[in-house]
Amino acid sequence: MYHPYFRGKQFELITIRETAGVMAQAGFVPIIEPVKETLKGLHRALQTVCEAEGKAIVIVNPYVGDHQDNGTGITGLLAQEFADNAAISAGILLRDDMSLEDAYALFEAHAAHDPVFIHAGFGEQKALADQLGAGLKDTRHVFIEKHASTLYRKPFAAARRVLVRDGFEKLKNSEYAKIPSEEFSELHITYGDLAMEGFGDFLMVGDSYSEGGGPAYAVAIHLTYIDPERDDVMYIYHFVSTTNDTPTDPAGKFGQALEKLIAKLGAGNSKLLETSAIKEFRDLHAKGHFPGLGYVKKLSMNHHIETLADFLS
């Protein structure tokens, strides 16, 4: 089913906690690439997933962030806090700088946590499939689409497979004003046709990673929706502030973007699902309150997860 890919920043982990019940009930399995040195937030998020009787995949060798050179802390967290817990799996991130020997060594080292291979630029896929041998059919593989063509995925046809697509085009916020709505993905309805047992995306953050955002010359609210009039394809709205020429007054700019969202909802043709996040946006508008840009992004992610859960239920 659905595998949202999170980089483990504060508000991404809060999203996991807040939607843990929704994801567990829908059979969604978040993939988490920890990026912060402290693992307290990750630990808390995973506990919430387990309490909701859900599942998650935690990458033990991140490519970005504070653990990119040494993931032993993540391995230790899984071993100490989630030993013998089938809900939490270890993700092995396969990049272009990883050897077959290192990949297989990580796989064996994390055998107790039902390891999952995350393919993101690896160059020895055929050799890996051969090494897995008869056990290939029992392994799980997540393919980041831009790094894993149909031909790349072919050696793993007998395995359990998930395809992750980056549906979010990363632009400067002011540039989204030119494209108020655009296609996000159709994988939620076509993944089975691609011989996949699940699909994923990078929510409305995208695959690109940065430690922190720059000054907010413009504020944008990104919200996804299913369009039943266009074969149930998922689209995304970009509600962008009118002011975009200075890095000041993010609260005022949020208010401008929020006004556009509320106006769209009021028009009666938005096709946005009335999720808990939409209700909170309405409440923020009524109060005239700016909760911070990270919080706004969290609401957009929550809305995305609830929208897919409702469609796939």
Side-chain angles (χ1 to χ4, degrees):
M1 190 59 83
Y2 179 49
H3 290 64
Y5 192 114
F6 293 91
R7 299 251 161 65
K9 289 185 178 181
Q10 178 187 5
F11 282 103
E12 280 85 345
L13 295 175
I14 292 174
T15 288
I16 293 169
R17 295 206 316 264
E18 291 185 350
T19 61
V22 172
M23 289 196 287
Q25 186 173 3
F28 295 173
V29 182
I31 300 168
I32 310 166
E33 183 176 358
V35 296
K36 294 300 181 183
E37 182 177 2
T38 177
L39 297 174
K40 291 181 180 178
L42 174 64
H43 185 194
R44 187 178 175 191
L46 295 179
Q47 283 182 317
T48 305
V49 168
C50 293
E51 289 166 3
E53 299 184 353
K55 295 181 179 181
I57 299 168
V58 181
I59 293 174
V60 296
N61 61 323
Y63 188 69
V64 296
D66 296 335
H67 298 274
Q68 60 183 304
D69 295 322
N70 189 343
T72 55
I74 304 167
T75 296
L77 174 66
L78 297 189
Q80 294 165 21
E81 302 294 339
F82 299 96
D84 302 319
N85 191 330
I88 307 301
S89 298
I92 314 300
L93 190 59
L94 303 177
R95 302 289 303 207
D96 56 0
D97 58 353
M98 176 174 275
S99 69
L100 173 64
E101 291 73 23
D102 288 343
Y104 201 76
L106 278 173
F107 177 72
E108 291 187 313
H110 294 86
H113 281 100
D114 190 20
V116 180
F117 290 108
I118 316 289
H119 297 258
F122 191 57
E124 299 189 61
Q125 71 275 19
K126 292 182 180 179
L128 176 60
D130 289 341
Q131 178 114 13
L132 293 170
L136 173 65
K137 68 181 186 303
D138 299 317
T139 59
R140 289 187 289 164
H141 299 261
V142 174
F143 302 98
I144 309 302
E145 187 179 48
K146 71 177 181 180
H147 298 294
S149 65
T150 302
L151 185 60
Y152 176 100
R153 303 192 298 263
K154 191 173 182 180
F156 305 97
R160 299 168 59 192
R161 307 190 302 169
V162 170
L163 186 63
V164 175
R165 176 178 297 167
D166 185 3
F168 186 78
E169 184 178 3
K170 188 73 172 177
L171 302 172
K172 292 181 179 179
N173 278 347
S174 60
E175 296 177 2
Y176 290 115
K178 304 173 185 177
I179 43 174
S181 177
E182 62 181 326
E183 184 174 328
F184 183 84
S185 179
E186 87 294 330
L187 267 185
H188 57 289
I189 48 180
T190 61
Y191 70 92
D193 298 325
L194 300 173
M196 299 289 150
E197 71 168 29
F199 70 99
D201 56 45
F202 292 89
L203 300 101
M204 40 286 323
V205 179
D207 189 15
S208 61
Y209 174 78
S210 61
E211 289 292 342
Y217 280 83
V219 169
I221 302 171
H222 309 286
L223 294 172
T224 50
Y225 64 98
I226 303 289
D227 192 339
E229 297 176 5
R230 288 186 277 188
D231 298 319
D232 290 326
V233 171
M234 175 169 274
Y235 289 81
I236 184 167
Y237 284 121
H238 309 293
F239 300 100
V240 185
S241 61
T242 305
T243 303
N244 59 23
D245 52 356
T246 71
T248 60
D249 192 21
K253 293 170 183 174
F254 169 69
Q256 293 171 357
L258 185 57
E259 283 287 352
K260 294 180 179 180
L261 165 58
I262 296 300
K264 188 65 176 177
L265 290 168
N269 61 352
S270 71
K271 300 175 183 175
L272 287 164
L273 182 68
E274 193 73 18
T275 62
S276 63
I278 292 296
K279 292 175 183 175
E280 192 160 354
F281 276 123
R282 291 186 187 275
D283 188 50
L284 290 170
H285 180 260
K287 294 178 179 177
H289 176 61
F290 173 52
L293 295 177
Y295 194 93
V296 173
K297 182 175 71 173
K298 183 211 72 168
L299 288 179
S300 294
M301 292 187 290
N302 287 15
H303 171 79
H304 181 66
I305 290 168
E306 288 185 50
T307 296
L308 280 170
D310 178 80
F311 177 79
L312 295 168
S313 62

